[in-house]
Amino acid sequence: MDHSAENVPISEARANITDVIASVRLLRRCVYLMRRDKPQAALIPIELGELVRSVGGPDVAATILAGHVKPTDQPGSPA
């Protein structure tokens, strides 16, 4: 489990967007934007976003990372 991540309802993020962005930027946290307890999107530190862009985008990055993650580390897998 990533302890540097947090789940934030979209409505709360909208009301506090400056603080949410500061948390991502300064504390290097990933913030998952939630609707009805389901993740809809993620805010990530810019350095991570630039890495994703440099390898060819989210689909390519996901393929690269999938080879480095144990099946139990993936979302939805039993712990």
Side-chain angles (χ1 to χ4, degrees), residues 2 4-5 24-25 27-32 42-62 64-65:
D2 182 4
S4 65
V24 171
R25 185 173 57 86
L27 302 176
R28 301 190 46 75
R29 288 192 165 161
C30 294
V31 173
Y32 295 95
L43 297 175
I44 60 172
I46 190 66
E47 299 85 4
L48 182 54
E50 291 297 328
L51 283 172
V52 168
R53 181 187 294 173
S54 73
V55 298
D59 294 334
V60 176
I64 293 167
L65 287 171

PDB file of all heavy atoms in Angstrom, residues 2 4-5 24-25 27-32 42-62 64-65:
ATOM      1  N   ASP A   2       0.523   2.205  -0.819  1.00  0.00           N
ATOM      2  CA  ASP A   2       1.297   3.440  -0.901  1.00  0.00           C
ATOM      3  C   ASP A   2       0.811   4.403   0.174  1.00  0.00           C
ATOM      4  O   ASP A   2      -0.278   4.931   0.097  1.00  0.00           O
ATOM      5  CB  ASP A   2       1.129   4.053  -2.290  1.00  0.00           C
ATOM      6  CG  ASP A   2       1.938   5.320  -2.465  1.00  0.00           C
ATOM      7  OD1 ASP A   2       2.701   5.701  -1.558  1.00  0.00           O
ATOM      8  OD2 ASP A   2       1.797   5.933  -3.523  1.00  0.00           O
ATOM      9  N   SER A   4       1.946   7.279   0.765  1.00  0.00           N
ATOM     10  CA  SER A   4       2.044   8.673   0.352  1.00  0.00           C
ATOM     11  C   SER A   4       0.862   9.059  -0.540  1.00  0.00           C
ATOM     12  O   SER A   4       0.860  10.109  -1.142  1.00  0.00           O
ATOM     13  CB  SER A   4       3.363   8.928  -0.375  1.00  0.00           C
ATOM     14  OG  SER A   4       3.388   8.205  -1.588  1.00  0.00           O
ATOM     15  N   ALA A   5      -0.140   8.199  -0.612  1.00  0.00           N
ATOM     16  CA  ALA A   5      -1.321   8.473  -1.424  1.00  0.00           C
ATOM     17  C   ALA A   5      -2.509   8.751  -0.515  1.00  0.00           C
ATOM     18  O   ALA A   5      -2.561   8.300   0.620  1.00  0.00           O
ATOM     19  CB  ALA A   5      -1.629   7.284  -2.320  1.00  0.00           C
ATOM     20  N   VAL A  24       0.243  17.579  -3.412  1.00  0.00           N
ATOM     21  CA  VAL A  24       0.898  16.792  -4.460  1.00  0.00           C
ATOM     22  C   VAL A  24       2.284  17.352  -4.740  1.00  0.00           C
ATOM     23  O   VAL A  24       3.263  16.612  -4.799  1.00  0.00           O
ATOM     24  CB  VAL A  24       0.035  16.784  -5.745  1.00  0.00           C
ATOM     25  CG1 VAL A  24       0.794  16.151  -6.906  1.00  0.00           C
ATOM     26  CG2 VAL A  24      -1.281  16.061  -5.499  1.00  0.00           C
ATOM     27  N   ARG A  25       2.376  18.654  -4.884  1.00  0.00           N
ATOM     28  CA  ARG A  25       3.637  19.291  -5.288  1.00  0.00           C
ATOM     29  C   ARG A  25       4.672  19.267  -4.168  1.00  0.00           C
ATOM     30  O   ARG A  25       5.817  18.858  -4.367  1.00  0.00           O
ATOM     31  CB  ARG A  25       3.380  20.727  -5.719  1.00  0.00           C
ATOM     32  CG  ARG A  25       4.604  21.438  -6.260  1.00  0.00           C
ATOM     33  CD  ARG A  25       4.255  22.806  -6.834  1.00  0.00           C
ATOM     34  NE  ARG A  25       3.601  23.682  -5.887  1.00  0.00           N
ATOM     35  CZ  ARG A  25       4.232  24.472  -5.015  1.00  0.00           C
ATOM     36  NH1 ARG A  25       5.542  24.478  -4.967  1.00  0.00           N
ATOM     37  NH2 ARG A  25       3.560  25.240  -4.197  1.00  0.00           N
ATOM     38  N   LEU A  27       4.483  17.765  -0.898  1.00  0.00           N
ATOM     39  CA  LEU A  27       4.632  16.538  -0.121  1.00  0.00           C
ATOM     40  C   LEU A  27       4.852  15.313  -1.002  1.00  0.00           C
ATOM     41  O   LEU A  27       5.026  14.212  -0.495  1.00  0.00           O
ATOM     42  CB  LEU A  27       3.405  16.329   0.773  1.00  0.00           C
ATOM     43  CG  LEU A  27       3.118  17.465   1.754  1.00  0.00           C
ATOM     44  CD1 LEU A  27       1.832  17.187   2.519  1.00  0.00           C
ATOM     45  CD2 LEU A  27       4.286  17.666   2.701  1.00  0.00           C
ATOM     46  N   ARG A  28       4.804  15.531  -2.326  1.00  0.00           N
ATOM     47  CA  ARG A  28       5.000  14.458  -3.303  1.00  0.00           C
ATOM     48  C   ARG A  28       4.027  13.312  -3.075  1.00  0.00           C
ATOM     49  O   ARG A  28       4.386  12.148  -3.114  1.00  0.00           O
ATOM     50  CB  ARG A  28       6.452  13.996  -3.298  1.00  0.00           C
ATOM     51  CG  ARG A  28       7.416  15.130  -3.623  1.00  0.00           C
ATOM     52  CD  ARG A  28       8.827  14.684  -3.863  1.00  0.00           C
ATOM     53  NE  ARG A  28       8.979  13.547  -4.733  1.00  0.00           N
ATOM     54  CZ  ARG A  28       8.846  13.569  -6.074  1.00  0.00           C
ATOM     55  NH1 ARG A  28       8.525  14.678  -6.685  1.00  0.00           N
ATOM     56  NH2 ARG A  28       9.035  12.473  -6.782  1.00  0.00           N
ATOM     57  N   ARG A  29       2.789  13.659  -2.852  1.00  0.00           N
ATOM     58  CA  ARG A  29       1.730  12.667  -2.661  1.00  0.00           C
ATOM     59  C   ARG A  29       0.978  12.444  -3.962  1.00  0.00           C
ATOM     60  O   ARG A  29       0.881  13.339  -4.790  1.00  0.00           O
ATOM     61  CB  ARG A  29       0.732  13.146  -1.620  1.00  0.00           C
ATOM     62  CG  ARG A  29       1.274  13.124  -0.239  1.00  0.00           C
ATOM     63  CD  ARG A  29       0.180  13.321   0.747  1.00  0.00           C
ATOM     64  NE  ARG A  29       0.669  12.946   2.061  1.00  0.00           N
ATOM     65  CZ  ARG A  29       0.113  13.319   3.175  1.00  0.00           C
ATOM     66  NH1 ARG A  29      -0.950  14.094   3.150  1.00  0.00           N
ATOM     67  NH2 ARG A  29       0.610  12.939   4.314  1.00  0.00           N
ATOM     68  N   CYS A  30       0.442  11.268  -4.095  1.00  0.00           N
ATOM     69  CA  CYS A  30      -0.516  10.988  -5.161  1.00  0.00           C
ATOM     70  C   CYS A  30      -1.894  11.154  -4.538  1.00  0.00           C
ATOM     71  O   CYS A  30      -2.151  10.634  -3.456  1.00  0.00           O
ATOM     72  CB  CYS A  30      -0.366   9.568  -5.678  1.00  0.00           C
ATOM     73  SG  CYS A  30       1.206   9.290  -6.510  1.00  0.00           S
ATOM     74  N   VAL A  31      -2.748  11.882  -5.209  1.00  0.00           N
ATOM     75  CA  VAL A  31      -4.106  12.094  -4.715  1.00  0.00           C
ATOM     76  C   VAL A  31      -5.059  11.447  -5.705  1.00  0.00           C
ATOM     77  O   VAL A  31      -5.057  11.782  -6.897  1.00  0.00           O
ATOM     78  CB  VAL A  31      -4.422  13.599  -4.563  1.00  0.00           C
ATOM     79  CG1 VAL A  31      -5.888  13.811  -4.216  1.00  0.00           C
ATOM     80  CG2 VAL A  31      -3.522  14.227  -3.511  1.00  0.00           C
ATOM     81  N   TYR A  32      -5.848  10.503  -5.210  1.00  0.00           N
ATOM     82  CA  TYR A  32      -6.846   9.832  -6.034  1.00  0.00           C
ATOM     83  C   TYR A  32      -8.170  10.552  -5.846  1.00  0.00           C
ATOM     84  O   TYR A  32      -8.647  10.698  -4.724  1.00  0.00           O
ATOM     85  CB  TYR A  32      -6.962   8.358  -5.640  1.00  0.00           C
ATOM     86  CG  TYR A  32      -5.685   7.617  -5.932  1.00  0.00           C
ATOM     87  CD1 TYR A  32      -4.727   7.448  -4.947  1.00  0.00           C
ATOM     88  CD2 TYR A  32      -5.427   7.144  -7.202  1.00  0.00           C
ATOM     89  CE1 TYR A  32      -3.537   6.808  -5.218  1.00  0.00           C
ATOM     90  CE2 TYR A  32      -4.236   6.494  -7.482  1.00  0.00           C
ATOM     91  CZ  TYR A  32      -3.304   6.323  -6.487  1.00  0.00           C
ATOM     92  OH  TYR A  32      -2.118   5.699  -6.756  1.00  0.00           O
ATOM     93  N   ALA A  42      -6.260  10.611 -10.967  1.00  0.00           N
ATOM     94  CA  ALA A  42      -5.204  10.807  -9.970  1.00  0.00           C
ATOM     95  C   ALA A  42      -4.414  12.061 -10.298  1.00  0.00           C
ATOM     96  O   ALA A  42      -4.184  12.366 -11.468  1.00  0.00           O
ATOM     97  CB  ALA A  42      -4.269   9.609  -9.932  1.00  0.00           C
ATOM     98  N   LEU A  43      -4.034  12.771  -9.265  1.00  0.00           N
ATOM     99  CA  LEU A  43      -3.095  13.882  -9.390  1.00  0.00           C
ATOM    100  C   LEU A  43      -1.756  13.359  -8.900  1.00  0.00           C
ATOM    101  O   LEU A  43      -1.678  12.775  -7.815  1.00  0.00           O
ATOM    102  CB  LEU A  43      -3.538  15.071  -8.545  1.00  0.00           C
ATOM    103  CG  LEU A  43      -4.869  15.698  -8.932  1.00  0.00           C
ATOM    104  CD1 LEU A  43      -5.249  16.785  -7.930  1.00  0.00           C
ATOM    105  CD2 LEU A  43      -4.802  16.274 -10.323  1.00  0.00           C
ATOM    106  N   ILE A  44      -0.717  13.568  -9.700  1.00  0.00           N
ATOM    107  CA  ILE A  44       0.602  13.035  -9.376  1.00  0.00           C
ATOM    108  C   ILE A  44       1.639  14.138  -9.450  1.00  0.00           C
ATOM    109  O   ILE A  44       1.434  15.136 -10.136  1.00  0.00           O
ATOM    110  CB  ILE A  44       0.986  11.878 -10.318  1.00  0.00           C
ATOM    111  CG1 ILE A  44       1.001  12.357 -11.780  1.00  0.00           C
ATOM    112  CG2 ILE A  44       0.056  10.687 -10.124  1.00  0.00           C
ATOM    113  CD1 ILE A  44       1.554  11.359 -12.755  1.00  0.00           C
ATOM    114  N   PRO A  45       2.771  13.980  -8.754  1.00  0.00           N
ATOM    115  CA  PRO A  45       3.834  14.975  -8.856  1.00  0.00           C
ATOM    116  C   PRO A  45       4.280  15.136 -10.313  1.00  0.00           C
ATOM    117  O   PRO A  45       4.293  14.178 -11.094  1.00  0.00           O
ATOM    118  CB  PRO A  45       4.964  14.398  -8.000  1.00  0.00           C
ATOM    119  CG  PRO A  45       4.264  13.516  -7.015  1.00  0.00           C
ATOM    120  CD  PRO A  45       3.115  12.922  -7.798  1.00  0.00           C
ATOM    121  N   ILE A  46       4.648  16.345 -10.666  1.00  0.00           N
ATOM    122  CA  ILE A  46       5.004  16.671 -12.051  1.00  0.00           C
ATOM    123  C   ILE A  46       6.138  15.799 -12.568  1.00  0.00           C
ATOM    124  O   ILE A  46       6.137  15.403 -13.743  1.00  0.00           O
ATOM    125  CB  ILE A  46       5.322  18.179 -12.203  1.00  0.00           C
ATOM    126  CG1 ILE A  46       5.457  18.555 -13.676  1.00  0.00           C
ATOM    127  CG2 ILE A  46       6.563  18.566 -11.429  1.00  0.00           C
ATOM    128  CD1 ILE A  46       4.189  18.443 -14.462  1.00  0.00           C
ATOM    129  N   GLU A  47       7.095  15.449 -11.722  1.00  0.00           N
ATOM    130  CA  GLU A  47       8.212  14.618 -12.163  1.00  0.00           C
ATOM    131  C   GLU A  47       7.717  13.258 -12.666  1.00  0.00           C
ATOM    132  O   GLU A  47       8.238  12.739 -13.653  1.00  0.00           O
ATOM    133  CB  GLU A  47       9.239  14.422 -11.036  1.00  0.00           C
ATOM    134  CG  GLU A  47       9.868  15.707 -10.548  1.00  0.00           C
ATOM    135  CD  GLU A  47       9.052  16.432  -9.481  1.00  0.00           C
ATOM    136  OE1 GLU A  47       8.005  15.923  -9.041  1.00  0.00           O
ATOM    137  OE2 GLU A  47       9.494  17.539  -9.102  1.00  0.00           O
ATOM    138  N   LEU A  48       6.737  12.706 -11.996  1.00  0.00           N
ATOM    139  CA  LEU A  48       6.175  11.428 -12.427  1.00  0.00           C
ATOM    140  C   LEU A  48       5.415  11.599 -13.738  1.00  0.00           C
ATOM    141  O   LEU A  48       5.515  10.770 -14.647  1.00  0.00           O
ATOM    142  CB  LEU A  48       5.267  10.855 -11.335  1.00  0.00           C
ATOM    143  CG  LEU A  48       4.646   9.495 -11.605  1.00  0.00           C
ATOM    144  CD1 LEU A  48       5.706   8.459 -11.954  1.00  0.00           C
ATOM    145  CD2 LEU A  48       3.840   9.053 -10.410  1.00  0.00           C
ATOM    146  N   GLY A  49       4.679  12.675 -13.853  1.00  0.00           N
ATOM    147  CA  GLY A  49       3.974  12.953 -15.101  1.00  0.00           C
ATOM    148  C   GLY A  49       4.920  13.115 -16.271  1.00  0.00           C
ATOM    149  O   GLY A  49       4.654  12.638 -17.381  1.00  0.00           O
ATOM    150  N   GLU A  50       6.053  13.793 -16.048  1.00  0.00           N
ATOM    151  CA  GLU A  50       7.043  13.962 -17.100  1.00  0.00           C
ATOM    152  C   GLU A  50       7.665  12.621 -17.501  1.00  0.00           C
ATOM    153  O   GLU A  50       7.935  12.385 -18.673  1.00  0.00           O
ATOM    154  CB  GLU A  50       8.130  14.947 -16.664  1.00  0.00           C
ATOM    155  CG  GLU A  50       7.647  16.377 -16.550  1.00  0.00           C
ATOM    156  CD  GLU A  50       7.173  16.959 -17.878  1.00  0.00           C
ATOM    157  OE1 GLU A  50       7.711  16.584 -18.941  1.00  0.00           O
ATOM    158  OE2 GLU A  50       6.248  17.793 -17.843  1.00  0.00           O
ATOM    159  N   LEU A  51       7.886  11.738 -16.529  1.00  0.00           N
ATOM    160  CA  LEU A  51       8.398  10.402 -16.855  1.00  0.00           C
ATOM    161  C   LEU A  51       7.402   9.626 -17.708  1.00  0.00           C
ATOM    162  O   LEU A  51       7.789   8.963 -18.679  1.00  0.00           O
ATOM    163  CB  LEU A  51       8.710   9.620 -15.579  1.00  0.00           C
ATOM    164  CG  LEU A  51       9.986   9.979 -14.848  1.00  0.00           C
ATOM    165  CD1 LEU A  51      10.051   9.263 -13.509  1.00  0.00           C
ATOM    166  CD2 LEU A  51      11.198   9.649 -15.691  1.00  0.00           C
ATOM    167  N   VAL A  52       6.138   9.706 -17.343  1.00  0.00           N
ATOM    168  CA  VAL A  52       5.097   9.029 -18.124  1.00  0.00           C
ATOM    169  C   VAL A  52       5.106   9.567 -19.556  1.00  0.00           C
ATOM    170  O   VAL A  52       5.061   8.804 -20.523  1.00  0.00           O
ATOM    171  CB  VAL A  52       3.712   9.203 -17.466  1.00  0.00           C
ATOM    172  CG1 VAL A  52       2.602   8.760 -18.396  1.00  0.00           C
ATOM    173  CG2 VAL A  52       3.648   8.435 -16.150  1.00  0.00           C
ATOM    174  N   ARG A  53       5.178  10.867 -19.693  1.00  0.00           N
ATOM    175  CA  ARG A  53       5.204  11.478 -21.025  1.00  0.00           C
ATOM    176  C   ARG A  53       6.441  11.036 -21.803  1.00  0.00           C
ATOM    177  O   ARG A  53       6.366  10.722 -22.992  1.00  0.00           O
ATOM    178  CB  ARG A  53       5.197  12.989 -20.905  1.00  0.00           C
ATOM    179  CG  ARG A  53       5.194  13.681 -22.268  1.00  0.00           C
ATOM    180  CD  ARG A  53       5.349  15.157 -22.170  1.00  0.00           C
ATOM    181  NE  ARG A  53       4.196  15.760 -21.506  1.00  0.00           N
ATOM    182  CZ  ARG A  53       4.122  17.034 -21.168  1.00  0.00           C
ATOM    183  NH1 ARG A  53       5.132  17.849 -21.399  1.00  0.00           N
ATOM    184  NH2 ARG A  53       3.058  17.506 -20.570  1.00  0.00           N
ATOM    185  N   SER A  54       7.597  10.987 -21.137  1.00  0.00           N
ATOM    186  CA  SER A  54       8.849  10.682 -21.835  1.00  0.00           C
ATOM    187  C   SER A  54       8.916   9.258 -22.371  1.00  0.00           C
ATOM    188  O   SER A  54       9.636   9.003 -23.338  1.00  0.00           O
ATOM    189  CB  SER A  54      10.050  10.956 -20.923  1.00  0.00           C
ATOM    190  OG  SER A  54      10.154   9.968 -19.923  1.00  0.00           O
ATOM    191  N   VAL A  55       8.178   8.324 -21.764  1.00  0.00           N
ATOM    192  CA  VAL A  55       8.198   6.941 -22.262  1.00  0.00           C
ATOM    193  C   VAL A  55       7.121   6.678 -23.307  1.00  0.00           C
ATOM    194  O   VAL A  55       7.048   5.595 -23.854  1.00  0.00           O
ATOM    195  CB  VAL A  55       8.102   5.896 -21.125  1.00  0.00           C
ATOM    196  CG1 VAL A  55       9.280   6.006 -20.185  1.00  0.00           C
ATOM    197  CG2 VAL A  55       6.781   5.961 -20.406  1.00  0.00           C
ATOM    198  N   GLY A  56       6.282   7.674 -23.562  1.00  0.00           N
ATOM    199  CA  GLY A  56       5.288   7.498 -24.614  1.00  0.00           C
ATOM    200  C   GLY A  56       3.851   7.552 -24.152  1.00  0.00           C
ATOM    201  O   GLY A  56       2.950   7.209 -24.900  1.00  0.00           O
ATOM    202  N   GLY A  57       3.624   7.941 -22.907  1.00  0.00           N
ATOM    203  CA  GLY A  57       2.259   8.105 -22.418  1.00  0.00           C
ATOM    204  C   GLY A  57       1.854   7.043 -21.419  1.00  0.00           C
ATOM    205  O   GLY A  57       2.623   6.125 -21.115  1.00  0.00           O
ATOM    206  N   PRO A  58       0.629   7.166 -20.918  1.00  0.00           N
ATOM    207  CA  PRO A  58       0.168   6.284 -19.847  1.00  0.00           C
ATOM    208  C   PRO A  58       0.115   4.802 -20.221  1.00  0.00           C
ATOM    209  O   PRO A  58       0.446   3.942 -19.406  1.00  0.00           O
ATOM    210  CB  PRO A  58      -1.228   6.788 -19.514  1.00  0.00           C
ATOM    211  CG  PRO A  58      -1.374   8.098 -20.179  1.00  0.00           C
ATOM    212  CD  PRO A  58      -0.336   8.203 -21.228  1.00  0.00           C
ATOM    213  N   ASP A  59      -0.276   4.491 -21.441  1.00  0.00           N
ATOM    214  CA  ASP A  59      -0.376   3.083 -21.823  1.00  0.00           C
ATOM    215  C   ASP A  59       0.994   2.416 -21.847  1.00  0.00           C
ATOM    216  O   ASP A  59       1.163   1.300 -21.358  1.00  0.00           O
ATOM    217  CB  ASP A  59      -1.065   2.937 -23.181  1.00  0.00           C
ATOM    218  CG  ASP A  59      -2.525   3.362 -23.144  1.00  0.00           C
ATOM    219  OD1 ASP A  59      -3.137   3.303 -22.045  1.00  0.00           O
ATOM    220  OD2 ASP A  59      -3.051   3.763 -24.196  1.00  0.00           O
ATOM    221  N   VAL A  60       1.982   3.105 -22.403  1.00  0.00           N
ATOM    222  CA  VAL A  60       3.343   2.558 -22.449  1.00  0.00           C
ATOM    223  C   VAL A  60       3.906   2.458 -21.030  1.00  0.00           C
ATOM    224  O   VAL A  60       4.510   1.443 -20.667  1.00  0.00           O
ATOM    225  CB  VAL A  60       4.254   3.422 -23.347  1.00  0.00           C
ATOM    226  CG1 VAL A  60       5.695   2.913 -23.306  1.00  0.00           C
ATOM    227  CG2 VAL A  60       3.737   3.451 -24.773  1.00  0.00           C
ATOM    228  N   ALA A  61       3.702   3.490 -20.220  1.00  0.00           N
ATOM    229  CA  ALA A  61       4.193   3.472 -18.836  1.00  0.00           C
ATOM    230  C   ALA A  61       3.569   2.315 -18.060  1.00  0.00           C
ATOM    231  O   ALA A  61       4.261   1.629 -17.299  1.00  0.00           O
ATOM    232  CB  ALA A  61       3.905   4.799 -18.146  1.00  0.00           C
ATOM    233  N   ALA A  62       2.283   2.077 -18.248  1.00  0.00           N
ATOM    234  CA  ALA A  62       1.602   0.973 -17.553  1.00  0.00           C
ATOM    235  C   ALA A  62       2.199  -0.372 -17.966  1.00  0.00           C
ATOM    236  O   ALA A  62       2.387  -1.252 -17.126  1.00  0.00           O
ATOM    237  CB  ALA A  62       0.106   1.013 -17.835  1.00  0.00           C
ATOM    238  N   ILE A  64       5.271  -0.911 -19.047  1.00  0.00           N
ATOM    239  CA  ILE A  64       6.607  -0.995 -18.451  1.00  0.00           C
ATOM    240  C   ILE A  64       6.498  -1.343 -16.966  1.00  0.00           C
ATOM    241  O   ILE A  64       7.189  -2.247 -16.472  1.00  0.00           O
ATOM    242  CB  ILE A  64       7.377   0.325 -18.641  1.00  0.00           C
ATOM    243  CG1 ILE A  64       7.691   0.542 -20.123  1.00  0.00           C
ATOM    244  CG2 ILE A  64       8.655   0.348 -17.798  1.00  0.00           C
ATOM    245  CD1 ILE A  64       8.174   1.942 -20.460  1.00  0.00           C
ATOM    246  N   LEU A  65       5.650  -0.661 -16.252  1.00  0.00           N
ATOM    247  CA  LEU A  65       5.516  -0.891 -14.810  1.00  0.00           C
ATOM    248  C   LEU A  65       4.942  -2.262 -14.490  1.00  0.00           C
ATOM    249  O   LEU A  65       5.303  -2.870 -13.483  1.00  0.00           O
ATOM    250  CB  LEU A  65       4.655   0.191 -14.173  1.00  0.00           C
ATOM    251  CG  LEU A  65       5.313   1.554 -14.051  1.00  0.00           C
ATOM    252  CD1 LEU A  65       4.294   2.595 -13.609  1.00  0.00           C
ATOM    253  CD2 LEU A  65       6.466   1.494 -13.076  1.00  0.00           C
TER     254      LEU A  65
END
